[in-house]
Amino acid sequence: MDRLYLIGSVIGLLLTGNAWWPLRRPAVLGALSFFAGWLTAELPLHHIAFQAALTWWFHGQGAFETPVGEVGLALAGVSWVGLALLLRPAAETRRLIVEAVDEAFEHPGERLVPRRDLGRLAMPFRFGDRAVSRTRDIVYAEGGGPRMRLDVYRPRGDAAGALRPVLLHIHGGGWVIGSKDTQGLPLMRAMAARGWVAVNANYRLSPRATFPDHLIDVKRATAWVRSHIERYGGDPSSIVIAGLSAGAHLASLAALTPNRPELQPGFETADTRLDGCVAMYGVYDVLDRDRDWPHRAMTRLMAKLVIKARPDQAPALWKLASPLDQVGPHAPPFLIVHGDRDTMVPVGQARRFRDALRRAAPEVPVAYAELPGAQHAFDVFYSLRTNLALDGVAAFLERVRVRRRTVGSGEELGGT
């Protein structure tokens, strides 16, 4: 028993160390490091509780009556301290995002009341919310391919009255996996509970889809919201887009390419302008011109499965696929959030995207929050960091809503 406990303690310590210092290369090892550190970094108290329960059981089996067991207990203690310390940077999340939003916008906004729900921290994968209703699997596009569906979230029992601002969310998954049913759920429910109408949309995935199919679907979803969201209580003139990872890439492109006829086949006249964009740990330069990745995995993924051509074979398409190349004075307000320990998408891309936006559109608010200790996909489920990040995102969205109301619409807000 003592040796078994020692092995378990070593594994726990390795997981804790990986959460603090994740590996980035080679690509396969970096991916394994991400998956191993993801749950550890976001749920440290759950890890401590699980390991403590095991320790109590091993104690009852006499595992600590030998020097081997004592070494295992000491290693477990070191691991628990490391896990507890992971909470310190996570606790700064709300402050960092709100300060970034305050700095970006000229006029101070109303302070939002933080949503406190300790139950969600104890049960991070419980996504239900009695204050929110969800209308599932609404078809927003069909014909010539699979039916594309979305879900609409809104305050439960919402009576007819003033129309509510709309948040359109695009899931991640490296353009090849992912779904509205598994991503963006904390954000959808949080904003619906705050009085927004939230829309979570699927889009065609590679390798069946070839870019820009994914972007066209996002624009179709935007057009659907513009034409149909009023029946669900949403304001079709007030739409902000958000996305995670590959979804942040697509959301950014959608925000930066409004009303481009070549990207709206069959619905060229639809208004696809957006009032703002929330980009969480996105990809902004698929060409990787500054060599942010320590390997070539992203370029190979895009060339083989997503764009299906090398950069030298389709240079225009690769530039279209890079939000960094679509930046211009027409950009709407942006909130860019990225973790400094992201091993899937290096934070350097987010920094350069921020700088490019601020240079191209100096009058447009661009809020940037770099979260210490955060890995990729940190907000897919409820954690301390997720709950605090949701308050920060809500602060940005409310500031965009107020800005739109006070400044106006159309070209004044970055539309074309």
Side-chain angles (χ1 to χ4, degrees):
M1 283 294 177
D2 55 352
R3 297 192 180 194
L4 185 61
Y5 181 74
L6 176 62
I7 293 172
S9 296
V10 169
I11 293 174
L13 187 60
L14 289 174
L15 288 172
T16 301
N18 179 66
W20 279 99
W21 303 285
L23 301 173
R24 301 179 184 274
R25 67 174 80 184
V28 173
L29 198 56
L32 291 175
S33 178
F34 157 66
F35 284 110
W38 179 34
L39 294 177
T40 306
E42 294 309 314
L43 302 175
L45 293 181
H46 293 73
H47 278 262
I48 292 175
F50 177 72
Q51 293 179 25
L54 284 180
T55 298
W56 181 257
W57 185 84
F58 274 102
H59 171 69
Q61 305 302 310
F64 307 136
E65 297 175 0
T66 68
V68 172
E70 292 176 349
V71 170
L73 184 59
L75 293 178
V78 172
S79 176
W80 298 346
V81 170
L83 288 168
L85 289 175
L86 287 170
L87 293 171
R88 294 179 62 184
E92 295 295 306
T93 300
R94 180 194 292 122
R95 179 184 66 80
L96 291 173
I97 299 179
V98 171
E99 286 182 356
V101 171
D102 287 342
E103 181 182 347
F105 285 82
E106 180 179 353
H107 302 290
E110 178 183 352
R111 288 293 176 187
L112 297 181
V113 178
R115 295 195 73 206
R116 304 187 185 280
D117 191 345
L118 296 180
R120 296 205 183 280
L121 298 182
M123 303 181 67
F125 300 99
R126 183 176 64 84
F127 296 109
D129 193 326
R130 295 179 180 177
V132 174
S133 68
R134 177 185 183 186
T135 305
R136 300 172 182 261
D137 295 327
I138 302 168
V139 176
Y140 73 83
E142 58 183 328
R147 286 185 166 188
M148 305 314 302
R149 303 176 185 272
L150 53 77
D151 297 344
V152 175
Y153 297 77
R154 49 185 170 160
R156 188 176 296 279
D158 201 13
L163 297 178
R164 301 176 179 275
V166 181
L167 177 64
L168 170 62
H169 179 264
I170 311 302
H171 69 78
W175 306 276
V176 297
I177 59 174
S179 166
K180 64 179 176 59
D181 297 320
T182 58
Q183 295 187 34
L185 304 184
L187 179 60
M188 296 291 93
R189 297 187 185 281
M191 293 315 301
R194 286 186 178 275
W196 284 58
V197 173
V199 179
N200 209 1
N202 278 343
Y203 53 91
R204 285 173 289 177
L205 299 173
S206 294
R208 181 171 182 174
T210 302
F211 186 85
D213 291 348
H214 323 70
L215 178 57
I216 291 171
D217 287 347
V218 172
K219 288 177 172 289
R220 284 190 184 277
T222 305
W224 182 93
V225 170
R226 190 80 68 191
S227 299
H228 298 89
I229 202 62
E230 190 168 348
R231 71 180 64 172
Y232 298 94
D235 183 354
S237 68
S238 178
I239 308 172
V240 178
I241 196 167
L244 314 178
S245 191
H249 163 264
L250 295 172
S252 298
L253 285 177
L256 294 170
T257 61
N259 297 346
R260 292 263 292 267
E262 70 275 19
L263 297 176
Q264 300 179 197
F267 59 108
E268 291 85 355
T269 60
D271 184 0
T272 57
R273 290 176 299 173
L274 295 157
D275 294 332
C277 180
V278 178
M280 308 288 283
Y281 43 88
V283 177
Y284 306 110
D285 180 15
V286 298
L287 286 162
D288 193 22
R289 281 161 283 202
D290 288 286
R291 296 294 184 264
D292 292 299
W293 275 275
H295 47 72
R296 307 303 296 159
M298 177 59 66
T299 303
R300 290 195 294 267
L301 170 66
M302 299 299 293
K304 291 183 178 180
L305 299 180
V306 183
I307 298 178
K308 300 176 185 174
R310 299 191 310 269
D312 61 314
Q313 295 172 324
L317 200 54
W318 278 75
K319 281 196 170 186
L320 173 62
S322 292
L324 199 61
D325 287 293
Q326 307 307 317
V327 169
H330 59 282
F334 263 80
L335 170 62
I336 304 166
V337 180
H338 217 104
D340 68 354
R341 291 185 192 154
D342 193 323
T343 56
M344 302 297 283
V345 180
V347 68
Q349 290 230 334
R351 295 169 184 162
R352 273 182 286 282
F353 186 55
R354 169 204 61 194
D355 294 342
L357 283 168
R358 288 176 175 173
R359 285 194 303 268
E363 302 302 319
V364 175
V366 177
Y368 176 79
E370 191 168 307
L371 304 183
Q375 249 287 10
H376 200 71
F378 66 84
D379 59 340
V380 171
F381 51 84
Y382 291 103
S383 67
L384 175 63
R385 197 185 327 267
T386 298
N387 279 265
L388 298 179
L390 292 175
D391 287 338
V393 172
F396 171 80
L397 293 174
E398 287 297 331
R399 202 70 65 87
V400 169
R401 181 182 64 83
V402 171
R403 179 178 184 270
R404 184 189 181 283
R405 188 176 60 205
T406 56
V407 175
S409 60
E411 292 186 358
E412 295 180 8
L413 285 178
T416 58

